[in-house]
Coordinates of all heavy atoms in Angstrom, one line a residue:
M300 N 17.0 -32.7 1.6 CA 17.3 -31.3 1.6 C 16.5 -30.6 0.6 O 16.3 -31.0 -0.5 CB 18.8 -31.1 1.4 CG 19.2 -29.7 1.5 SD 21.1 -29.6 1.3 CE 21.1 -28.0 0.7
K301 N 15.9 -29.4 1.0 CA 15.1 -28.6 0.1 C 16.0 -28.1 -1.1 O 17.2 -27.6 -0.8 CB 14.3 -27.6 0.7 CG 13.2 -28.2 1.6 CD 12.4 -27.1 2.2 CE 11.3 -27.8 3.0 NZ 10.3 -26.9 3.5
T302 N 15.5 -27.8 -2.2 CA 16.2 -27.2 -3.2 C 16.4 -25.7 -2.9 O 15.5 -25.0 -2.5 CB 15.5 -27.3 -4.6 OG1 15.1 -28.6 -4.9 CG2 16.2 -26.7 -5.7
P303 N 17.6 -25.1 -3.1 CA 17.9 -23.8 -2.7 C 17.0 -22.9 -3.6 O 16.8 -23.1 -4.8 CB 19.3 -23.5 -3.1 CG 20.0 -24.9 -3.1 CD 18.9 -25.8 -3.4
I304 N 16.4 -21.9 -2.9 CA 15.6 -20.9 -3.7 C 16.2 -19.5 -3.6 O 16.8 -19.2 -2.6 CB 14.2 -20.8 -3.1 CG1 13.3 -19.9 -3.9 CG2 14.2 -20.6 -1.7 CD1 11.8 -19.9 -3.5
F305 N 16.2 -18.8 -4.8 CA 16.7 -17.5 -4.8 C 15.7 -16.6 -5.5 O 14.9 -17.1 -6.3 CB 18.1 -17.5 -5.6 CG 19.1 -18.3 -5.0 CD1 19.5 -19.5 -5.4 CD2 19.8 -17.7 -3.9 CE1 20.5 -20.3 -4.9 CE2 20.8 -18.5 -3.3 CZ 21.2 -19.7 -3.8
V306 N 15.9 -15.3 -5.3 CA 15.0 -14.3 -5.9 C 15.4 -14.1 -7.3 O 16.6 -14.3 -7.7 CB 15.0 -13.0 -5.0 CG1 16.3 -12.3 -5.3 CG2 13.9 -12.1 -5.4
R307 N 14.3 -13.8 -8.1 CA 14.6 -13.5 -9.6 C 15.5 -12.3 -9.6 O 15.6 -11.5 -8.7 CB 13.4 -13.4 -10.4 CG 12.5 -12.3 -10.0 CD 11.4 -12.1 -10.9 NE 10.4 -11.2 -10.4 CZ 10.4 -9.9 -10.4 NH1 11.6 -9.3 -10.9 NH2 9.5 -9.1 -9.9
S308 N 16.1 -12.0 -10.8 CA 16.9 -10.8 -10.9 C 15.9 -9.5 -10.9 O 14.8 -9.6 -11.4 CB 17.8 -10.8 -12.2 OG 16.9 -11.0 -13.3
F309 N 16.5 -8.5 -10.4 CA 15.7 -7.3 -10.2 C 15.9 -6.3 -11.4 O 17.0 -6.3 -12.0 CB 16.3 -6.4 -9.0 CG 16.1 -7.1 -7.7 CD1 17.2 -7.1 -6.8 CD2 15.0 -7.8 -7.3 CE1 17.2 -7.8 -5.6 CE2 14.9 -8.5 -6.1 CZ 16.0 -8.4 -5.2
S310 N 14.8 -5.5 -11.7 CA 15.0 -4.5 -12.7 C 15.7 -3.3 -11.9 O 15.7 -3.3 -10.6 CB 13.7 -4.0 -13.3 OG 12.8 -3.5 -12.2
D311 N 16.1 -2.2 -12.6 CA 16.7 -1.1 -11.9 C 15.7 -0.4 -11.0 O 16.0 -0.1 -9.9 CB 17.1 -0.1 -12.9 CG 18.3 -0.7 -13.8 OD1 19.0 -1.5 -13.2 OD2 18.6 -0.2 -14.9
E312 N 14.4 -0.3 -11.4 CA 13.4 0.3 -10.5 C 13.2 -0.5 -9.2 O 13.0 0.0 -8.2 CB 12.1 0.5 -11.3 CG 12.2 1.5 -12.5 CD 11.6 0.9 -13.7 OE1 10.9 -0.2 -13.6 OE2 11.6 1.6 -14.7
E313 N 13.1 -1.9 -9.4 CA 12.9 -2.7 -8.3 C 14.1 -2.6 -7.3 O 13.9 -2.5 -6.1 CB 12.8 -4.2 -8.8 CG 11.4 -4.5 -9.4 CD 11.3 -5.9 -10.0 OE1 12.4 -6.4 -10.3 OE2 10.2 -6.4 -10.1
R314 N 15.3 -2.6 -7.8 CA 16.4 -2.5 -6.9 C 16.4 -1.1 -6.2 O 16.7 -1.1 -5.0 CB 17.7 -2.6 -7.7 CG 19.0 -2.6 -6.8 CD 20.2 -3.1 -7.5 NE 20.1 -4.4 -7.9 CZ 20.4 -5.5 -7.2 NH1 20.6 -5.3 -5.9 NH2 20.4 -6.7 -7.7
E315 N 16.1 -0.1 -6.9 CA 16.0 1.2 -6.1 C 14.9 1.2 -5.1 O 15.1 1.8 -4.0 CB 15.7 2.3 -7.2 CG 17.0 2.6 -8.1 CD 16.7 3.7 -9.2 OE1 15.5 4.3 -9.1 OE2 17.4 3.7 -10.0
A316 N 13.8 0.6 -5.5 CA 12.7 0.6 -4.4 C 13.1 -0.2 -3.2 O 12.8 0.1 -2.1 CB 11.4 0.0 -5.2
L317 N 13.8 -1.3 -3.5 CA 14.2 -2.2 -2.3 C 15.2 -1.5 -1.5 O 15.3 -1.5 -0.2 CB 14.8 -3.5 -2.8 CG 13.7 -4.5 -3.3 CD1 14.4 -5.6 -4.1 CD2 12.8 -5.0 -2.3
Q318 N 16.2 -0.8 -2.1 CA 17.2 0.0 -1.3 C 16.4 1.1 -0.5 O 16.8 1.3 0.6 CB 18.2 0.7 -2.3 CG 19.1 -0.3 -2.9 CD 20.1 -1.0 -2.1 OE1 20.3 -0.5 -1.0 NE2 20.6 -2.2 -2.5
A319 N 15.5 1.7 -1.1 CA 14.7 2.8 -0.3 C 13.9 2.2 0.8 O 13.8 2.8 1.8 CB 13.8 3.5 -1.4
S320 N 13.3 1.1 0.6 CA 12.6 0.4 1.6 C 13.3 -0.1 2.8 O 12.8 -0.4 3.9 CB 11.6 -0.7 1.1 OG 12.6 -1.8 0.6
L321 N 14.7 0.0 2.7 CA 15.5 -0.3 3.9 C 15.4 0.8 5.0 O 15.8 0.5 6.1 CB 17.0 -0.5 3.4 CG 17.3 -1.8 2.7 CD1 18.8 -1.7 2.2 CD2 17.0 -3.0 3.5
R322 N 15.0 1.9 4.6 CA 14.8 3.0 5.5 C 13.2 3.1 6.0 O 12.9 4.1 6.5 CB 15.2 4.3 4.9 CG 16.7 4.3 4.6 CD 17.2 5.6 4.0 NE 16.6 5.9 2.7 CZ 17.1 5.4 1.6 NH1 18.1 4.6 1.6 NH2 16.6 5.7 0.4
S323 N 12.5 2.1 5.7 CA 11.0 2.1 6.0 C 10.8 2.0 7.4 O 11.6 1.4 8.2 CB 10.4 1.0 5.3 OG 9.0 1.0 5.6
K324 N 9.8 2.7 7.9 CA 9.4 2.7 9.3 C 8.5 1.4 9.5 O 8.3 0.9 10.7 CB 8.6 3.9 9.8 CG 9.5 5.1 9.8 CD 8.8 6.3 10.3 CE 9.7 7.4 10.2 NZ 9.1 8.7 10.7
D325 N 7.9 0.8 8.5 CA 7.2 -0.4 8.6 C 8.1 -1.6 8.7 O 8.9 -1.9 7.8 CB 6.3 -0.6 7.4 CG 5.4 -1.8 7.5 OD1 4.9 -2.2 8.5 OD2 5.0 -2.4 6.3
A326 N 8.0 -2.4 9.8 CA 8.9 -3.5 10.0 C 8.7 -4.6 9.0 O 9.6 -5.3 8.6 CB 8.6 -4.1 11.4
F327 N 7.5 -4.8 8.5 CA 7.2 -5.9 7.5 C 8.0 -5.5 6.2 O 8.7 -6.4 5.6 CB 5.7 -6.0 7.2 CG 5.4 -7.0 6.3 CD1 5.1 -8.3 6.6 CD2 5.2 -6.7 4.9 CE1 4.8 -9.3 5.7 CE2 4.9 -7.7 3.9 CZ 4.7 -9.0 4.4
T328 N 7.9 -4.3 5.7 CA 8.5 -3.9 4.5 C 10.1 -3.9 4.7 O 10.8 -4.4 3.8 CB 8.1 -2.4 4.2 OG1 6.7 -2.4 4.1 CG2 8.8 -1.9 2.9
L329 N 10.5 -3.5 5.8 CA 12.0 -3.5 6.0 C 12.5 -5.0 6.0 O 13.5 -5.2 5.4 CB 12.3 -2.9 7.4 CG 13.8 -3.0 8.0 CD1 14.7 -2.2 7.0 CD2 13.8 -2.5 9.4
R330 N 11.8 -5.9 6.6 CA 12.3 -7.3 6.8 C 12.2 -7.9 5.4 O 13.1 -8.6 5.0 CB 11.4 -8.1 7.8 CG 11.6 -9.5 7.9 CD 13.0 -9.9 8.4 NE 13.4 -9.2 9.6 CZ 13.2 -9.7 10.9 NH1 12.7 -10.9 11.0 NH2 13.6 -9.0 11.9
R331 N 11.2 -7.7 4.7 CA 11.1 -8.2 3.3 C 12.1 -7.7 2.4 O 12.8 -8.6 1.7 CB 9.6 -7.9 2.7 CG 8.5 -8.7 3.2 CD 8.4 -10.0 2.5 NE 7.5 -11.0 3.0 CZ 6.4 -11.4 2.3 NH1 6.2 -11.0 1.0 NH2 5.6 -12.2 2.8
S332 N 12.5 -6.5 2.4 CA 13.5 -5.8 1.6 C 14.9 -6.5 2.0 O 15.7 -6.8 1.1 CB 13.5 -4.4 1.7 OG 13.7 -3.9 2.9
Q333 N 15.1 -6.8 3.3 CA 16.4 -7.3 3.7 C 16.6 -8.7 3.2 O 17.6 -9.1 2.8 CB 16.5 -7.3 5.3 CG 16.7 -6.0 5.8 CD 16.5 -5.9 7.4 OE1 15.9 -6.8 8.0 NE2 17.2 -5.1 8.1
I334 N 15.4 -9.4 3.3 CA 15.4 -10.8 2.8 C 15.7 -10.9 1.3 O 16.5 -11.7 0.8 CB 14.1 -11.6 3.1 CG1 13.9 -11.8 4.6 CG2 13.9 -12.8 2.3 CD1 12.6 -12.2 5.0
L335 N 15.0 -10.0 0.6 CA 15.1 -10.1 -0.9 C 16.6 -9.7 -1.3 O 17.1 -10.3 -2.3 CB 14.1 -9.2 -1.5 CG 12.7 -9.7 -1.3 CD1 11.7 -8.7 -1.8 CD2 12.4 -11.0 -1.9
L336 N 17.1 -8.6 -0.8 CA 18.5 -8.2 -1.1 C 19.5 -9.2 -0.7 O 20.4 -9.4 -1.5 CB 18.7 -6.8 -0.5 CG 17.9 -5.6 -1.1 CD1 18.1 -4.4 -0.2 CD2 18.4 -5.4 -2.6
A337 N 19.4 -9.9 0.4 CA 20.3 -10.9 0.8 C 20.2 -12.1 -0.2 O 21.2 -12.7 -0.6 CB 20.0 -11.4 2.2
S338 N 19.0 -12.5 -0.6 CA 18.9 -13.6 -1.6 C 19.4 -13.1 -2.9 O 20.1 -14.0 -3.6 CB 17.4 -13.9 -1.8 OG 17.3 -14.9 -2.8
S339 N 19.4 -11.9 -3.3 CA 20.0 -11.4 -4.6 C 21.5 -11.4 -4.5 O 22.1 -11.6 -5.6 CB 19.5 -10.0 -5.0 OG 20.1 -9.1 -4.1
R340 N 22.0 -11.4 -3.3 CA 23.5 -11.6 -3.2 C 24.0 -13.0 -3.2 O 25.2 -13.2 -3.1 CB 23.9 -10.9 -1.8 CG 23.8 -9.4 -1.8 CD 24.5 -8.8 -0.6 NE 24.0 -9.3 0.7 CZ 23.0 -8.6 1.3 NH1 22.5 -7.5 0.9 NH2 22.6 -9.2 2.5
G341 N 23.1 -13.9 -3.2 CA 23.4 -15.3 -3.4 C 23.4 -16.1 -2.1 O 23.8 -17.2 -1.9
E342 N 22.8 -15.5 -1.0 CA 22.8 -16.1 0.4 C 21.6 -17.1 0.3 O 20.6 -16.8 -0.2 CB 22.6 -15.1 1.4 CG 23.8 -14.1 1.6 CD 23.6 -13.2 2.7 OE1 22.8 -13.5 3.7 OE2 24.1 -12.1 2.7
Y343 N 21.9 -18.3 1.0 CA 20.8 -19.3 1.1 C 19.8 -18.9 2.2 O 20.1 -18.2 3.2 CB 21.5 -20.7 1.4 CG 22.3 -21.2 0.3 CD1 23.7 -21.0 0.4 CD2 21.7 -21.8 -0.8 CE1 24.5 -21.6 -0.7 CE2 22.5 -22.3 -1.9 CZ 23.9 -22.2 -1.9 OH 24.6 -22.7 -2.7
A344 N 18.6 -19.5 2.0 CA 17.5 -19.2 3.0 C 17.9 -19.5 4.4 O 17.6 -18.6 5.3 CB 16.3 -19.9 2.6
P345 N 18.5 -20.6 4.8 CA 18.9 -20.8 6.2 C 19.8 -19.7 6.8 O 19.6 -19.3 7.9 CB 19.5 -22.2 6.2 CG 19.1 -22.9 5.0 CD 18.8 -21.8 4.0
K346 N 20.8 -19.3 6.0 CA 21.7 -18.3 6.5 C 21.0 -16.9 6.6 O 21.2 -16.2 7.5 CB 22.8 -18.1 5.4 CG 23.9 -17.1 5.9 CD 25.1 -17.2 4.9 CE 26.3 -16.5 5.4 NZ 26.1 -15.1 5.7
I347 N 20.1 -16.6 5.7 CA 19.3 -15.3 5.8 C 18.5 -15.3 7.1 O 18.5 -14.4 7.8 CB 18.4 -15.2 4.5 CG1 19.3 -14.9 3.3 CG2 17.5 -13.9 4.8 CD1 18.5 -14.9 2.0
A348 N 17.8 -16.5 7.3 CA 16.9 -16.7 8.5 C 17.7 -16.4 9.7 O 17.3 -15.8 10.7 CB 16.2 -18.0 8.4
E349 N 18.9 -17.1 9.8 CA 19.7 -17.0 11.0 C 20.2 -15.5 11.2 O 20.2 -15.1 12.3 CB 20.9 -17.9 10.9 CG 21.8 -18.0 12.1 CD 23.0 -18.8 11.7 OE1 22.9 -19.8 11.0 OE2 24.1 -18.5 12.4
S350 N 20.6 -14.8 10.2 CA 21.1 -13.5 10.4 C 20.1 -12.5 10.7 O 20.4 -11.5 11.4 CB 21.9 -13.0 9.1 OG 21.0 -12.9 8.0
L351 N 18.8 -12.8 10.3 CA 17.7 -11.8 10.5 C 16.9 -12.3 11.7 O 16.0 -11.5 12.2 CB 16.8 -11.7 9.3 CG 17.5 -11.0 8.1 CD1 16.4 -11.0 6.9 CD2 18.0 -9.6 8.4
G352 N 17.1 -13.4 12.2 CA 16.4 -14.0 13.4 C 14.9 -14.3 13.0 O 14.0 -14.0 13.8
C353 N 14.7 -14.9 11.9 CA 13.4 -15.3 11.6 C 13.4 -16.8 11.1 O 14.5 -17.4 11.1 CB 12.8 -14.4 10.5 SG 13.6 -14.4 8.9
G354 N 12.4 -17.3 10.7 CA 12.3 -18.7 10.3 C 12.6 -18.9 8.8 O 12.5 -18.0 8.0
E355 N 13.2 -20.1 8.5 CA 13.5 -20.4 7.2 C 12.3 -20.3 6.2 O 12.4 -19.8 5.1 CB 14.1 -21.8 7.0 CG 15.5 -21.8 7.7 CD 16.1 -23.3 7.6 OE1 15.7 -24.0 6.6 OE2 16.9 -23.6 8.4
Q356 N 11.2 -20.7 6.7 CA 9.9 -20.7 5.9 C 9.5 -19.3 5.6 O 9.0 -19.0 4.5 CB 8.8 -21.5 6.5 CG 7.6 -21.7 5.6 CD 8.0 -22.6 4.4 OE1 8.7 -23.6 4.4 NE2 7.6 -22.0 3.2
T357 N 9.8 -18.4 6.5 CA 9.4 -17.0 6.3 C 10.2 -16.4 5.2 O 9.7 -15.6 4.3 CB 9.8 -16.1 7.6 OG1 9.0 -16.7 8.7 CG2 9.4 -14.7 7.3
V358 N 11.5 -16.8 5.1 CA 12.4 -16.3 4.0 C 11.9 -16.9 2.7 O 11.7 -16.2 1.7 CB 13.9 -16.8 4.3 CG1 14.8 -16.4 3.1 CG2 14.4 -16.1 5.5
R359 N 11.6 -18.2 2.7 CA 11.1 -18.8 1.4 C 9.7 -18.1 0.9 O 9.6 -18.0 -0.2 CB 10.9 -20.3 1.6 CG 12.2 -21.1 1.7 CD 12.0 -22.6 1.7 NE 13.3 -23.2 2.1 CZ 13.5 -23.6 3.4 NH1 12.6 -23.4 4.3 NH2 14.6 -24.1 3.6
D360 N 8.9 -17.9 1.9 CA 7.6 -17.3 1.5 C 7.8 -16.0 0.9 O 7.1 -15.5 0.0 CB 6.7 -17.2 2.8 CG 6.1 -18.5 3.3 OD1 6.3 -19.5 2.5 OD2 5.7 -18.6 4.4
A361 N 8.7 -15.1 1.5 CA 9.0 -13.8 1.0 C 9.6 -13.9 -0.4 O 9.2 -13.1 -1.3 CB 10.0 -13.1 1.9
I362 N 10.5 -14.9 -0.6 CA 11.0 -14.9 -2.0 C 10.0 -15.4 -3.0 O 9.9 -14.9 -4.1 CB 12.2 -16.0 -2.0 CG1 13.4 -15.3 -1.2 CG2 12.7 -16.3 -3.4 CD1 14.5 -16.2 -0.8
H363 N 9.2 -16.4 -2.6 CA 8.1 -16.9 -3.6 C 7.1 -15.7 -3.9 O 6.7 -15.5 -5.0 CB 7.4 -18.0 -3.0 CG 8.0 -19.3 -3.1 ND1 8.3 -19.9 -4.3 CD2 8.5 -20.2 -2.1 CE1 9.0 -21.1 -4.0 NE2 9.0 -21.2 -2.7
D364 N 6.8 -15.0 -2.9 CA 5.8 -13.9 -3.0 C 6.4 -12.8 -3.9 O 5.7 -12.3 -4.9 CB 5.5 -13.2 -1.6 CG 4.2 -12.4 -1.7 OD1 3.4 -12.7 -2.6 OD2 4.1 -11.6 -0.7
F365 N 7.6 -12.5 -3.8 CA 8.2 -11.4 -4.6 C 8.4 -12.0 -6.0 O 8.1 -11.2 -7.1 CB 9.6 -11.0 -4.2 CG 10.3 -10.0 -5.1 CD1 9.9 -8.6 -5.0 CD2 11.2 -10.3 -6.0 CE1 10.5 -7.7 -5.8 CE2 11.7 -9.4 -6.9 CZ 11.4 -8.0 -6.7
N366 N 8.7 -13.2 -6.3 CA 8.9 -13.8 -7.5 C 7.5 -13.8 -8.3 O 7.5 -13.7 -9.6 CB 9.4 -15.2 -7.5 CG 10.9 -15.2 -7.3 OD1 11.5 -14.2 -7.4 ND2 11.4 -16.3 -6.8
Q367 N 6.4 -13.9 -7.6 CA 5.1 -13.9 -8.2 C 4.4 -12.5 -8.3 O 4.0 -12.1 -9.4 CB 4.1 -14.7 -7.3 CG 4.3 -16.1 -7.4 CD 3.4 -16.9 -6.6 OE1 2.6 -16.4 -5.8 NE2 3.5 -18.3 -6.7
R368 N 4.6 -11.7 -7.3 CA 3.9 -10.3 -7.2 C 4.8 -9.1 -7.5 O 4.3 -8.0 -7.5 CB 3.2 -10.2 -5.9 CG 2.1 -11.2 -5.7 CD 1.1 -10.9 -4.6 NE 1.8 -10.5 -3.4 CZ 1.4 -9.5 -2.5 NH1 0.4 -8.9 -2.9 NH2 2.1 -9.2 -1.4
G369 N 6.1 -9.3 -7.5 CA 7.0 -8.2 -7.6 C 7.0 -7.3 -6.4 O 6.9 -7.7 -5.2
L370 N 7.0 -5.9 -6.5 CA 7.2 -5.1 -5.4 C 5.9 -5.0 -4.6 O 5.9 -4.5 -3.4 CB 7.5 -3.6 -6.0 CG 8.9 -3.4 -6.6 CD1 9.0 -2.0 -7.1 CD2 9.9 -3.7 -5.4
D371 N 4.8 -5.5 -5.1 CA 3.6 -5.7 -4.2 C 3.8 -6.5 -3.0 O 3.1 -6.4 -2.0 CB 2.3 -6.1 -5.0 CG 1.9 -5.2 -6.0 OD1 2.1 -3.9 -5.9 OD2 1.2 -5.5 -7.1
A372 N 4.8 -7.4 -3.1 CA 5.2 -8.3 -2.0 C 5.7 -7.5 -0.7 O 5.8 -8.1 0.4 CB 6.2 -9.3 -2.4
L373 N 6.1 -6.2 -0.9 CA 6.6 -5.5 0.2 C 5.5 -4.9 1.1 O 5.8 -4.4 2.1 CB 7.5 -4.3 -0.3 CG 8.7 -4.7 -1.0 CD1 9.5 -3.5 -1.5 CD2 9.6 -5.5 -0.2
V374 N 4.3 -5.0 0.7 CA 3.1 -4.6 1.5 C 2.4 -5.8 2.0 O 2.0 -6.7 1.2 CB 2.1 -3.7 0.5 CG1 1.0 -3.3 1.3 CG2 2.9 -2.6 0.0
A375 N 2.1 -5.8 3.3 CA 1.5 -6.9 4.0 C 0.0 -7.0 3.4 O -0.7 -6.1 3.3 CB 1.4 -6.7 5.5
K376 N -0.4 -8.3 3.2 CA -1.7 -8.5 2.8 C -2.6 -8.4 4.1 O -2.2 -8.5 5.2 CB -1.9 -10.0 2.2 CG -1.1 -10.1 0.9 CD -1.3 -11.6 0.5 CE -0.5 -12.0 -0.6 NZ -0.6 -13.4 -1.0
S377 N -3.9 -8.4 3.8 CA -4.9 -8.4 4.9 C -4.8 -9.7 5.7 O -4.7 -10.8 5.1 CB -6.3 -8.1 4.4 OG -7.2 -8.3 5.4
S378 N -4.9 -9.6 7.0 CA -4.9 -10.8 7.8 C -6.4 -11.2 8.1 O -6.5 -12.2 9.0 CB -4.1 -10.6 9.1 OG -4.7 -9.5 9.9
R379 N -7.3 -10.6 7.6 CA -8.8 -10.9 7.8 C -9.0 -12.2 7.1 O -8.6 -12.5 6.0 CB -9.5 -9.7 7.1 CG -11.0 -9.8 7.5 CD -11.8 -8.8 6.7 NE -12.4 -9.7 5.7 CZ -12.9 -9.2 4.6 NH1 -12.9 -7.9 4.3 NH2 -13.5 -10.0 3.8
P380 N -9.8 -13.0 7.8 CA -10.2 -14.3 7.2 C -11.0 -14.1 6.0 O -11.9 -13.1 5.9 CB -11.1 -15.0 8.2 CG -11.0 -14.2 9.5 CD -10.4 -12.8 9.2
K381 N -10.9 -15.0 5.0 CA -11.7 -14.9 3.7 C -13.2 -15.1 4.0 O -14.0 -14.6 3.4 CB -11.1 -15.8 2.7 CG -9.7 -15.3 2.3 CD -9.2 -16.1 1.2 CE -7.9 -15.4 0.9 NZ -7.0 -16.2 0.1
R382 N -13.5 -16.0 4.9 CA -14.9 -16.3 5.2 C -14.9 -16.7 6.8 O -13.9 -17.1 7.3 CB -15.6 -17.4 4.4 CG -14.9 -18.6 4.4 CD -15.5 -19.4 3.3 NE -14.6 -20.4 2.8 CZ -14.9 -21.7 2.7 NH1 -16.0 -22.2 3.1 NH2 -13.9 -22.5 2.1
T383 N -16.1 -16.5 7.3 CA -16.2 -16.7 8.7 C -17.0 -18.0 9.0 O -17.7 -18.4 8.1 CB -16.9 -15.5 9.4 OG1 -18.1 -15.3 8.9 CG2 -16.0 -14.4 9.5

């Protein structure tokens, strides 16, 4: 069994930005903010994945990305290949 992963604690500005992004028209931003807020409530990745209808690895990737990059994780990176 994999070790449970949770998001780091939020600053006040981060929490406000995540709450505001729940009203985003961008699906990527909305899904990421839902994942991060659920993790901050202490929900495990499999439960978050089940409730949002996504994969467990998607949840883990979102949490890892936020723990490393902060609010920049709410914006999708380029899907362009690094080299051809």
Side-chain angles (χ1 to χ4, degrees):
M300 182 175 154
K301 293 186 178 188
T302 306
I304 179 173
F305 296 102
V306 72
R307 63 173 170 77
S308 58
F309 301 134
S310 68
D311 292 334
E312 295 134 6
E313 287 174 335
R314 184 167 298 279
E315 288 174 13
L317 287 169
Q318 293 289 341
S320 64
L321 289 175
R322 295 180 296 277
S323 174
K324 292 182 181 184
D325 181 32
F327 182 85
T328 302
L329 173 66
R330 177 63 52 95
R331 283 277 173 117
S332 60
Q333 289 172 331
I334 290 170
L335 297 172
L336 289 170
S338 178
S339 73
R340 290 190 301 266
E342 294 182 29
Y343 292 102
K346 185 174 188 301
I347 296 170
E349 182 181 331
S350 66
L351 294 178
C353 63
E355 292 179 27
Q356 191 60 49
T357 302
V358 174
R359 288 188 195 94
D360 289 344
I362 293 170
H363 281 298
D364 197 22
F365 180 81
N366 286 342
Q367 290 177 350
R368 298 190 311 137
L370 289 176
D371 290 337
L373 295 178
V374 179
K376 294 179 188 175
S377 173
S378 61
R379 191 188 102 196
K381 293 186 176 160
R382 55 186 154 130
T383 58

